[in-house]
Structures are given as C-alpha cells and as structure tokens.
Amino acid sequence: MTSLNGKTLLASGFHAPERGRVEELRNALIAIDPSGVIASVLHPHDAGYDDALEAARRAGLLETLPAQSYLLPGFVDLHVHAPQYPQLGRALDEPLEVWLHKYTFPLEARYADLAFARRSYGLLVDDLIANGTTTALYFATIHQDATRLLVDICLERGQRALVGKVAMDDPDQCPAYYRDASPDAAVNGTRALIDYVHGHPDNAEGRVRPVITPRFIPSCTDATLEGLGALARECGCHVQTHCSESDWAHGYVLQRHGISDTSSLDRFGLLRAGSVLAHANFITPADIETIRARKAAVAHCALSNAYFAGAVFPLKAALEKGVQVGLGTDISGGPSASMFDAIRGTVMASRMLETGTDPAQKAEARGTAGGVRVDFRDAFHLATAGGGAALGLPVGRFSPGYNFDAILIDAAAPNGTIRLWDELDGGDGILQKIVYSASRANIASVWVGGRLLSQPEVRLG
Ligand code: GUN
Ligand code: FE
C-alpha cells in the first residue's frame, strides 16, 4: 500500500488549524480524493459518520491506523539552506559575517561539482522526509545545474518543495570564487530556474515551485535587487531572503540604504504575499506593520538565532500584530534538521526572552514584560498550518481542500523516545509529549499528497 489516494483513513491524532487551538482527532474518518487532497473529515459524533465508515469498509477502501499511533500534519520547514547540509552540526563558532566567508561560501562553491551536489542533496531530501518535513523552502546555490538537480531530487523523492537559485553578485561582499558574474547573470539565472521548474515534465501538479532568492541585501547589488523585484511582480513567484538577522546584517543595510532591511526590501518590490523573510530579529514596530500590510511572512529560526543573531525574535509581538510566521531549521545555521527541534527551540527561546537570562539581575528586572512566551501548541501550529499559510499553500492541517501531507507517530516504537502512560496521559498532553520527546524512530510513515514516501512497511491496515 503506497498511496492513500481514493481511500478513507480511520485515524487518531492532532492538528492545530489556528494558533492556540489544537484539535484532537479521535477515530476520525479522513476521505482522500484520487489526487491526494482531503475530501472530508468526519468525527464520530458527525451525521453520516457511521454510513461513511461502513461504505468505505464495504468498498475495501478503508485504511485503519494502529493503536498507539498518532497522525499529525507534515512539517513545513520555512528556511533551509540545502547546500549547507554537510556542515550541519559544526561551524557554529563564528559570527555570521565571518562564518559566511570562512565556512559557508567555500562549501556552497563546491556545488559546481554535480556529483557532490547529487550526493549531498539526495541525502538531505531523504533525511528531511524521514524527519517528517513534507514541505521545504530551500535556498540552493548560485549554480544553475546543481539547483536543477535539487528540483529533480525533490520531484523524484516526492517532497513538496520550493527551490531558489541563490542570487548574490556584490563584489564587495561576495568572494570572486562564489558569486553571480553580474546583475544580469543573477536575474537571468533566476528566470532560467523558474522556467525549468515550470516546464519540468514531472511537475505537472506543481509539487515543486520556484522561489526568487536574493541571499540578503548585503550580498546583492541594487541592480540585482531591482531586477528580482521586477521579476517577482512579473511572475508572481514566491520570494525568500534574510532580513535583519544580526546586529551586523541589520546595521549594514541601515548604513548602505539609510533605511531598515524591511523598508529596503519593500522599496525593491520584494515584500509581497508569498515572501518569506528569514529571522527578522531586529525589525521595528514599523517594519512589523509593513510586513503585515504586504502579507509577507517571517521564518522564525530559533536555534540558529542562538548562534548567529545575538537576540531572540519577538515572536509573540509579531503574531499579535497579525504577521504570518512559520518555523525554519535554517540548516546549517541551526544545528538540527528536525522540525521537532525547531518547535522545542521556539518554545525555549520565548521562555528565556520572558524570564531573561542574567542571574545578576533581580527577577523583576531580568526579563521582557508582557507575556512573550509561546507554548507547544503555538509552536506546533507554526511548524504546520502556520508555515502552510505563510506560503499560501493548502498544507499543514486536516481540512477539506488541503493536501494530505501527514506523518504517523508511532508512540510505542521500541527504539523511539516517547513513553506514554495510559493512566496518566491523555488529550493534548499526548501531543505535548510527542512534541517534546519524539525522535526520528517514532516517525513511522510520511505522506505527501496522499503518497507514502517513507518507510513503506508501516503497520497500516
Ligand atoms: N545570511 C546570509 N546568508 C546566510 C546563511 O547562509 N545563513 C544564515 N543564517 N544567514 C545568512
Ligand atoms: Fe539562513
């Protein structure tokens, strides 16, 4: 059984369609249409449930999930540097502006070698799928061929993905061995990748999409930023970049353009619905309003921020002002490829922001007032439905019209790290345990668009 398309699933689990609201599915009947889209979700108390269950059973189309297994929406990783995967878990000792030149640009330059790219991208996509990431927003490199290969690999493995050829051409900030030769090369290379993705013979359903990807303002000339803004207007594609990540990055843009990173991106036409700004730690209240008004989104990368930002993103303030937010691993700025770790990092960072960190300060003076913490429910929402909404894609929740992108958590996996107690655990306390203690061994299956991608020998049916 490799596909749930056209079938009805009898499942228990959780999703968080809106922030603050976790919905428990208990013996829910999820009907999946032949194209992998959820047709209906019925709960046992709903009219028609018994008839639908019986009809599916009689037609031989019912798939029943085993006890002790929980269905969750697949994760949406809103910020991944695909070429940095070989660096995951190291090179965390330098500030951003040093890290880029000392470690990261030399690594990314290697993707001129297609054999290296094939090995690295294949491993990354397989590992992310096994970790439950069903949609990923990828920065690739400046290279056309390697970036096309990443598109091919996502299509082949079945992951939903948005892939950008990185644009970076400013000789002041980019080394001669790793930069676009000119603004024309940066913009035309982006256009060529867009055409490749749109014209790909295996991409008729649009599972992979192109993204306009100026690395960040410091690495791009104004001509490139202008050209990419015009291209975004013309093609309506997604846009991704870094925004106000660290003191250095934020200060650089202020000095070069005399305005904030957010304002400058907006001036170039790069802030639109479908634009994702990674980090955004140093945004001002005016920036927050601009991001909200443009319907752009923030990829919050809590783990990476601990190493490179020097600050915690004011997540709660952004959410309360109505900004779309999702979570990113920021591989390899963040040292984990797991969105479970991104969720945990999000909760922990918000708690440290709330309480403060300096024991030399009195408790009352140590932290940030105003209820800035988020809990596991909020962070789980952001990692699923929030990321989907940020991208404007119908993913991240179990609702009619949404793609069946899902993971199955085996809470009883012997090699896993979840231990449930029947007499103690229940309700969304089970989700809390999953969120805080699950590991890869607990992810029994992964589906994208109803198609089983990972571990086909699941204990289904
Ligand atoms: N800013 C520009 N490039 C990068 C990158 O690769 N990672 C992070 N975290 N920030 C960046
Ligand atoms: Fe990044």
Side-chain angles (χ1 to χ4, degrees), residues 272-444:
R272 312 152 40 84
S275 295
V276 176
L277 307 180
H279 307 286
N281 300 304
F282 291 88
I283 53 176
T284 64
D287 292 335
I288 290 183
E289 178 48 28
T290 305
I291 295 168
R292 188 200 62 76
R294 297 288 177 267
K295 299 187 166 58
V298 170
H300 174 39
C301 308
L303 287 183
S304 167
N305 287 344
Y307 294 94
F308 295 101
V312 172
F313 172 61
L315 170 62
K316 193 68 174 284
L319 289 172
E320 285 182 346
K321 298 240 170 68
V323 172
Q324 280 296 347
V325 182
L327 304 187
T329 56
D330 194 21
I331 292 167
S332 66
S336 170
S338 163
M339 285 294 288
F340 279 119
D341 286 329
I343 292 172
R344 295 161 195 157
T346 297
V347 174
M348 194 163 90
S350 82
R351 297 292 287 261
M352 295 180 100
L353 185 65
E354 181 172 81
T355 58
T357 56
D358 179 4
Q361 301 290 322
K362 283 209 172 351
E364 316 80 74
R366 200 179 297 142
T368 305
V372 299
R373 71 164 69 171
V374 297
D375 69 4
F376 73 94
R377 300 176 188 88
D378 292 330
F380 172 66
H381 162 78
L382 295 177
T384 52
L391 293 169
L393 297 179
V395 299
R397 51 191 280 184
F398 299 122
S399 304
Y402 280 71
N403 288 287
F404 187 79
D405 291 8
I407 66 178
L408 187 67
I409 298 296
D410 177 358
N415 293 330
T417 39
I418 304 171
R419 300 293 175 231
L420 295 182
W421 263 256
D422 282 347
E423 62 273 48
L424 296 174
D425 294 320
D428 73 3
I430 292 178
L431 176 66
Q432 185 170 13
K433 269 200 163 171
I434 291 172
V435 158
Y436 280 114
S437 59
S439 51
R440 184 165 161 162
N442 292 112
I443 301 177

Side-chain angles (χ1 to χ4, degrees), residues 186-271:
V187 176
N188 292 337
T190 301
R191 194 185 282 279
L193 196 266
I194 293 169
D195 291 344
Y196 180 77
V197 175
H198 285 157
H200 201 293
D202 301 331
N203 197 27
E205 62 177 282
R207 189 174 284 203
V208 175
R209 293 170 186 239
V211 197
I212 293 170
T213 307
R215 183 173 203 116
F216 64 158
I217 287 178
S219 65
C220 295
T221 59
D222 285 4
T224 288
L225 295 165
E226 257 162 44
L228 294 178
L231 186 56
R233 226 173 3 259
E234 179 192 322
C235 72
C237 296
H238 288 82
V239 174
Q240 61 180 344
T241 189
H242 297 85
C243 175
S244 292
E245 177 176 359
S246 66
D247 285 300
W248 173 81
H250 180 66
Y252 175 94
V253 180
L254 275 176
Q255 199 168 32
R256 180 168 131 195
H257 288 151
I259 51 178
S260 73
D261 217 330
T262 301
S263 299
S264 184
L265 292 166
D266 191 36
R267 209 180 58 183
F268 286 113
L270 291 162
L271 274 201

